[in-house]
Amino acid sequence: MPAFKGVDKMAFQWLYLNIVNLIYVVVLIIQNDDKTLATNKSLTSFAAFVLMAIVCGFFALNKTESVIEISRYINLIISFSLALVALSKSKNIELSNMVTYVLLIECLLYYLTLYYYQNTNGTIFLKGIASNINIQAFSIVIKLPWVLFIEKNKKYWIKNVTIWLAVSILFVISSRASLLSLGLISILYLVWQKTSFKEKIRQLIISLVPGILGTVVLLNPILKTGEKLQNISIINESSLTRLSFYKEALNSIISNPLLGIGTGNWKLFSIEAHKELVNGYTIPYHAHNDFLQISAETGIIGGLLYILVFFFAFNHIRNQWNISKNKTILKAITVSLLVYLIDANLNFPISRPMIQVQLILILGLLFSKYPPKTTHSIKLNRGILSAVLVILLGSTFYSFKVYDSFKLQKFLLEDFGSQKFDTELELIESIDYNTPNIGATALPIKAMIANYYSQDSLVTSLLDQAIKDNPFIKYPQTLKSIRYRTAGNIDSALVYAKEAFYGLPKNELHIVNYFSVLSLLKDSLEIDKVYEKIKTMNSKNVANAYLLSQVSIGRSMNKKLERVTNEAIKLYPEEEKFKLYKLRLLNGDSILRIANNLFEEATADFEAGNFKKSAHSYLEASKILPEDPAYLENAGHAYYLNNQNNKALSMFDSVINHYSNGTGKAEYLKGLMLYETKGVVNEACDLFQRAIRKGNEDAKKAQNLLCK
């Protein structure tokens, strides 16, 4: 189903699942024939787990995230119950044919999507119809046992083609966990199939080898994905990172054994736990083990209740194994559940509706086709169904709120990536920043929205609330520090800059801002301490910030600085500023005098109307003091008055795109130029608004005059 441009497909998938449940409950109410729900221990355990999750939600730091997560759990338990009702009336369904055709369609859609993206824009799109490659891989591999173990499909060639396509996709994606699952399926096939060993080997070769060979010989060379397959290893950086996640989850369980850290709040606490591993704002959203993450969020009791869902399912399989004459479907159910457990121990399928739907159908089939000896039945009369409908409406409401937010968040994230924040304010104000209150990347929505306003009290209020929503991401603290630094309140700027840096020390924005504040305070000891902590980061922005801080506090060249500058010049030879930093560190104040003389010459030429010469002198001064955007702003102004609009535009864009400490003059002058030369009113007024947010008074006059 289409995602309608949401930033995360899973948001709309939860909404779709709610809608399906709503429709089915309404149908049951209209039918009014008192359907019966036969409960089982797995269903009861999951219901108890959901109740525990609700209790833990009351103690969560971010209660909104808890409510959203709980609404999803409620969605799942209702789905499980309705699946039991539906499947109890469909015991004679032709499972092999159904699953084979569904898997075949999924595989064909995968290759059609791959072909479309490659021929449209030349990209290799491996996600298929899922939101990432792991979901797609497990969506395929969890269905393979049904095609391989159940041999009732009269059209034998369809079965083989389906398996070949499925296996080829698994090897194209090269997900280690899915290939491990494929290995498990193959081993259990050899153990369980009631034919000769030779025949089982022959059948496996027929089923698996064509797909593998087709991928290795044909697809990987065409798609250039062979390197993924060659680089598969049991232990690599990804697996070591997972071990770190597991360790922190266990530590969290030990620290909070009864009520955990709160349902749905792992994404917050994981930032603090893994702050030394987090680069930028790419955070460990999941523990990559559902059982550990759920135990961390809902305590040991919640974790055990969730584990019991699968324990009782496998215990029921064991009981049925002893009495069932035809174990074919039971084998397929068992293998699919084992595949799911591999996924649950290495990834996070509990958050993936596409996998949860398939798990629910597998469990539903297990307990409906092989009903327990002792069970409790609940008559689903109109009263009960109406209550379920009300609960579902609440769950659907939260699913819609998340989906609607994710649909609009793309504008926030695009502006955040470009650091332009020029989306129309009317659209920004349509975003509900309370439900959810953190974005798809765990950045507080209020903090991102604060970038669009200039009113002090409003911005402060938004940032203070954002810190409460997610105190660990440190983006709101950085914005507060920048605002205090711009206003000249250096002590407050230092407090928030220090908190942000030590909260996420590998974040470029935090580092650059902290260096900037420390430079104003001329705190050389802390600057050196920070550099020792981040010197292994291969970042042009970090190297620039450190060397600029050394220049700003007036240090002279020494062996350490010479090594750093030479390394920066070697790594980034196209950047003239590193050579200039070296020159300034070697020559000290004499360079500043040269820049000041050039500035005075340029200003004199500007006032005399010699704009071309003035622009040239401003540019020469900018090369010597590249940290100051004023030189480029003045050069752009001179080019503008000299009717060299393209050069002026280049200067303004350079300041707008690369300097966070601009005065708004570049935005103001660019807006004025666009208005006068091209008559572009809307864009000009947007630029005036951005200049006003930076405190530019001329932009206020222009807005009042031109933007009525």
Side-chain angles (χ1 to χ4, degrees):
M1 298 291 286
F4 298 110
K5 298 183 179 179
V7 295
D8 189 335
K9 280 189 175 184
M10 286 186 275
F12 82 86
Q13 288 176 355
W14 284 115
L15 178 59
Y16 280 142
L17 183 56
N18 267 296
I19 292 171
V20 169
N21 287 334
L22 277 172
I23 292 171
Y24 190 39
V25 170
V26 170
V27 168
L28 292 177
I29 291 173
I30 293 171
Q31 287 179 345
N32 193 28
D33 58 358
D34 286 351
K35 292 279 192 307
T36 300
L37 170 63
T39 63
N40 56 73
K41 290 181 179 179
S42 287
L43 180 66
T44 305
S45 296
F46 194 73
F49 160 68
V50 175
L51 289 174
M52 188 65 193
I54 293 171
V55 171
C56 294
F58 285 103
F59 301 92
L61 173 67
N62 189 318
K63 291 181 174 56
T64 301
E65 281 300 306
S66 284
V67 171
I68 291 169
E69 191 72 6
I70 289 165
S71 74
R72 291 172 176 174
Y73 292 156
I74 290 172
N75 195 7
L76 289 178
I77 193 167
I78 292 175
S79 299
F80 190 0
S81 302
L82 295 179
L84 288 168
V85 173
L87 290 167
S88 66
K89 302 295 182 182
S90 311
K91 293 181 180 178
N92 296 320
I93 191 168
E94 286 291 336
L95 291 168
S96 176
N97 290 343
M98 181 188 75
V99 179
T100 299
Y101 292 136
V102 169
L103 182 55
L104 178 60
I105 291 169
E106 187 172 350
C107 291
L108 291 174
L109 283 172
Y110 180 88
Y111 278 115
L112 284 172
T113 305
L114 189 64
Y115 176 81
Y116 170 79
Y117 276 91
Q118 190 173 23
N119 283 270
T120 302
N121 51 29
T123 58
I124 307 300
F125 189 80
L126 300 179
K127 297 178 183 179
I129 60 172
S131 55
N132 73 35
I133 57 174
N134 283 321
I135 298 176
Q136 180 62 83
F138 270 95
S139 178
I140 288 172
V141 78
I142 202 170
K143 289 190 278 286
L144 265 181
W146 297 85
V147 185
L148 189 62
F149 281 77
I150 304 174
E151 300 182 7
K152 289 184 178 180
N153 198 315
K154 295 177 182 178
K155 295 181 179 179
Y156 190 70
W157 65 272
I158 293 179
K159 170 183 173 178
N160 279 335
V161 168
T162 302
I163 294 175
W164 295 341
L165 290 173
V167 170
S168 69
I169 292 171
L170 295 179
F171 276 85
V172 166
I173 292 175
S174 298
S175 160
R176 288 172 299 161
S178 65
L179 293 179
L180 175 64
S181 299
L182 181 62
L184 174 67
I185 293 169
S186 303
I187 292 169
L188 292 177
Y189 181 84
L190 291 174
V191 172
W192 281 346
Q193 287 303 89
K194 292 182 178 180
T195 56
S196 67
F197 186 75
K198 183 178 179 181
E199 176 59 25
K200 287 188 282 191
I201 291 292
R202 186 187 74 83
Q203 183 58 49
L204 268 185
I205 290 172
I206 292 173
S207 298
L208 303 182
V209 171
I212 298 172
L213 286 178
T215 305
V216 173
V217 176
L218 295 175
L219 291 175
N220 279 341
I222 294 171
L223 300 173
K224 298 179 181 178
T225 53
E227 187 177 344
K228 284 172 64 68
L229 191 58
Q230 293 171 7
N231 291 336
I232 289 178
S233 61
I234 296 175
I235 298 177
N236 62 9
E237 185 178 351
S238 176
S239 56
L240 292 175
T241 302
R242 275 179 169 82
L243 290 175
S244 172
F245 293 166
Y246 301 163
K247 177 184 175 183
E248 293 300 339
L250 286 168
N251 288 339
S252 179
I253 295 166
I254 293 168
S255 302
N256 308 277
L258 293 179
L259 297 172
I261 56 175
T263 309
N265 275 231
W266 173 259
K267 61 176 71 75
L268 305 181
F269 284 87
S270 66
I271 302 171
E272 174 68 15
H274 304 101
K275 62 184 180 183
E276 299 294 336
L277 300 174
V278 175
N279 289 305
Y281 294 112
T282 304
I283 62 130
Y285 231 63
H286 301 279
H288 285 267
N289 184 302
D290 278 350
F291 303 106
L292 289 176
Q293 181 169 325
I294 285 171
S295 299
E297 290 185 343
T298 62
I300 293 174
I301 296 174
L304 287 175
L305 288 170
Y306 185 68
I307 290 170
L308 284 176
V309 174
F310 299 93
F311 173 81
F312 286 129
F314 281 105
N315 188 58
H316 186 59
I317 289 172
R318 182 179 63 84
N319 294 334
Q320 293 299 316
W321 201 278
N322 296 329
I323 61 176
S324 178
K325 293 180 180 179
N326 186 355
K327 297 183 176 63
T328 306
I329 293 177
L330 208 55
K331 290 175 183 176
I333 291 173
T334 304
V335 181
S336 289
L337 285 177
L338 289 172
V339 168
Y340 180 86
L341 287 183
I342 290 175
D343 194 17
N345 278 283
L346 297 173
N347 295 304
F348 37 94
I350 189 68
S351 300
R352 297 167 166 177
M354 190 169 171
I355 303 299
Q356 288 304 301
V357 167
Q358 297 178 71
L359 171 66
I360 284 165
L361 290 172
I362 292 165
L363 290 174
L365 186 69
L366 169 64
F367 290 106
S368 59
K369 190 169 183 65
Y370 304 95
K373 288 181 180 179
T374 56
T375 184
H376 176 68
S377 295
I378 301 173
K379 283 194 173 183
L380 301 179
N381 55 42
R382 276 191 168 179
I384 291 176
L385 289 172
S386 297
V388 172
L389 185 63
V390 171
I391 295 170
L392 262 178
L393 286 171
S395 175
T396 305
F397 169 77
Y398 282 103
S399 291
F400 175 78
K401 293 292 285 184
V402 174
Y403 159 72
D404 187 55
S405 177
F406 276 27
K407 190 173 63 174
L408 296 173
Q409 277 181 41
K410 66 177 183 178
F411 300 103
L412 288 177
L413 294 174
E414 286 171 2
D415 286 358
F416 179 80
S418 64
Q419 288 293 295
K420 288 187 177 180
F421 306 107
D422 53 3
T423 297
E424 292 181 6
L425 199 58
E426 184 180 355
L427 190 149
I428 297 301
E429 289 177 341
S430 70
I431 300 173
D432 183 351
Y433 50 63
N434 290 311
T435 308
N437 54 33
I438 62 174
T441 58
L443 283 168
I445 296 176
K446 297 183 186 77
M448 289 191 281
I449 285 178
N451 289 297
Y452 297 87
Y453 294 97
S454 56
Q455 187 181 344
D456 243 6
S457 58
L458 176 59
V459 173
T460 300
S461 174
L462 286 170
L463 293 179
D464 288 342
Q465 292 176 62
I467 291 173
K468 293 178 181 178
D469 293 339
N470 187 350
F472 306 112
I473 199 75
K474 304 303 179 185
Y475 179 60
Q477 289 90 330
T478 302
L479 292 184
K480 286 177 78 74
S481 174
I482 292 171
R483 289 180 65 81
Y484 280 126
R485 174 166 57 84
T486 304
N489 188 345
I490 307 304
D491 289 339
S492 295
L494 176 64
V495 170
Y496 287 106
K498 186 173 184 177
E499 181 185 345
F501 171 72
Y502 285 101
L504 281 182
K506 290 189 176 180
N507 183 292
E508 284 190 2
L509 178 61
H510 299 180
I511 296 167
V512 171
N513 179 60
Y514 195 30
F515 273 142
S516 179
V517 174
L518 293 173
S519 297
L520 293 173
L521 294 169
K522 299 190 180 301
D523 189 345
S524 58
L525 292 177
E526 182 67 7
I527 289 174
D528 288 342
K529 181 181 175 182
V530 169
Y531 179 73
E532 288 302 313
K533 194 173 180 65
I534 51 88
K535 64 182 179 182
T536 55
M537 291 178 64
N538 291 322
S539 165
K540 180 168 64 176
N541 292 330
V542 169
N544 177 69
Y546 173 66
L547 291 173
L548 179 57
S549 70
Q550 300 301 299
V551 170
S552 300
I553 64 177
R555 271 189 167 169
S556 300
M557 184 66 79
N558 55 42
K559 289 184 178 180
K560 176 183 175 181
L561 285 175
E562 187 174 13
R563 176 177 54 79
V564 175
T565 51
N566 288 339
E567 186 177 343
I569 291 168
K570 182 180 178 181
L571 287 173
Y572 314 107
E574 74 285 356
E575 292 289 341
E576 290 292 326
K577 57 188 172 186
F578 291 119
K579 297 175 184 176
L580 290 167
Y581 288 151
K582 184 175 181 179
L583 189 63
R584 286 177 65 182
L585 289 167
L586 285 169
N587 295 281
D589 292 340
S590 60
I591 293 293
L592 298 177
R593 285 195 294 272
I594 294 171
N596 188 54
N597 291 337
L598 283 170
F599 177 80
E600 290 177 356
E601 290 175 15
T603 303
D605 286 329
F606 186 91
E607 291 173 351
N610 193 351
F611 300 120
K612 186 175 181 179
K613 186 178 178 183
S614 172
H616 177 75
S617 297
Y618 279 130
L619 286 177
E620 289 300 310
S622 177
K623 291 179 181 178
I624 297 173
L625 292 176
E627 66 272 19
D628 190 345
Y631 297 114
L632 290 180
E633 289 176 332
N634 290 334
H637 195 184
Y639 279 131
Y640 172 35
L641 294 177
N642 201 47
N643 295 320
Q644 293 177 274
N645 292 337
N646 288 337
K647 285 189 175 182
L649 192 61
S650 175
M651 298 295 104
F652 297 147
D653 284 340
S654 182
V655 174
I656 292 169
N657 294 331
H658 302 294
Y659 288 86
S660 61
N661 60 332
T663 62
K665 183 177 180 179
E667 287 86 347
Y668 160 66
L669 290 173
K670 180 181 176 180
L672 200 62
M673 188 179 77
L674 291 176
Y675 182 88
E676 291 181 352
T677 60
K678 297 182 179 181
V680 184
V681 179
N682 290 338
E683 188 175 350
C685 291
D686 287 341
L687 286 164
F688 293 152
Q689 183 60 38
R690 289 172 60 187
I692 291 169
R693 287 202 293 266
K694 292 185 176 182
N696 190 281
E697 294 297 325
D698 291 329
K700 285 185 181 179
K701 298 174 184 176
Q703 186 185 57
N704 292 332
L705 185 64
L706 305 175
C707 303
K708 295 179 180 178

